[in-house]
């Protein structure tokens, strides 16, 4: 009987220790579960933020592509216009050279003494 009573006490002590260990394990698992749930929520928030950033970056990429195309069209037009303006400039430069030459010849004629005498005769 004493042996059975002792065995019963040992079993009760073992069971109480197991219940205590189980309680501690459950507390640790609940704490771990809370921590993991918190991490999951943070990652979901981050994922939402990153999705928004990706959308904004795609929009920026689209806008940048449009601006690039517009810039390229501008460069092509500028190159074309510069070519035609260069031709116009060369023609104007030639005309100016001819005008300067004509003015120089006119001045030379006016400076000529015979032209001065003729001019004086035409005045009243």
């Amino acid at each position: 009987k004493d042996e059975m009573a002792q065995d019963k006490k040992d079993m009760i002590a073992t069971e109480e220790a197991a219940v205590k260990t189980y309680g501690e394990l459950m507390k640790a698992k609940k704490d771990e579960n809370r921590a993991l749930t918190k991490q999951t929520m943070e990652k979901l928030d981050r994922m939402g933020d990153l999705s928004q950033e990706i959308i904004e970056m795609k929009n920026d990429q689209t806008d940048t592509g449009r601006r690039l195309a517009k810039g390229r069209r501008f460069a092509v037009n500028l190159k074309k216009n510069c070519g035609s303006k260069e031709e116009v400039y060369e023609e104007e430069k030639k005309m100016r050279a001819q005008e300067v030459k004509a003015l120089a010849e006119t001045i030379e004629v006016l400076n000529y003494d015979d032209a001065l005498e003729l001019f004086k005769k035409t005045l009243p």
Side-chain angles (χ1 to χ4, degrees):
K1 206 174 181 186
D2 286 337
E3 208 175 289
M4 285 178 70
Q6 184 60 38
D7 286 345
K8 183 179 176 184
K9 281 183 184 178
D10 288 344
M11 281 197 271
I12 290 173
T14 302
E15 188 65 26
E16 287 174 352
V19 168
K20 182 180 176 192
T21 303
Y22 176 78
E24 291 171 354
L25 180 62
M26 286 304 293
K27 183 183 180 299
K29 288 295 180 182
K30 284 180 182 177
D31 290 345
E32 183 181 4
N33 190 14
R34 265 190 242 107
L36 291 174
T37 301
K38 183 180 176 188
Q39 281 181 351
T40 302
M41 295 306 290
E42 288 172 355
K43 287 181 180 183
L44 285 173
D45 287 345
R46 176 123 171 89
M47 193 170 81
D49 292 344
L50 289 174
S51 295
Q52 183 64 32
E53 286 180 29
I54 288 170
I55 290 169
E56 289 173 2
M57 286 179 181
K58 284 182 179 179
N59 289 339
D60 288 348
Q61 181 185 21
T62 302
D63 293 344
T64 302
R66 287 181 187 144
R67 285 194 300 266
L68 177 62
K70 187 177 179 182
R72 286 182 176 162
R73 284 191 305 271
F74 177 75
V76 167
N77 288 336
L78 186 65
K79 195 171 191 177
K80 185 175 83 173
N81 290 338
C82 283
S84 64
K85 297 290 182 189
E86 194 171 309
E87 292 171 10
V88 169
Y89 173 74
E90 288 300 322
E91 284 182 33
E92 289 175 353
K93 192 169 140 182
K94 235 186 254 182
M95 283 184 136
R96 274 195 302 273
Q98 289 173 352
E99 289 172 353
V100 167
K101 183 178 176 186
L103 285 173
E105 289 173 359
T106 303
I107 291 172
E108 186 179 321
V109 167
L110 290 176
N111 283 338
Y112 193 64
D113 287 337
D114 291 340
L116 180 62
E117 289 300 318
L118 182 64
F119 182 70
K120 285 181 182 176
K121 287 180 185 177
T122 59
L123 290 176

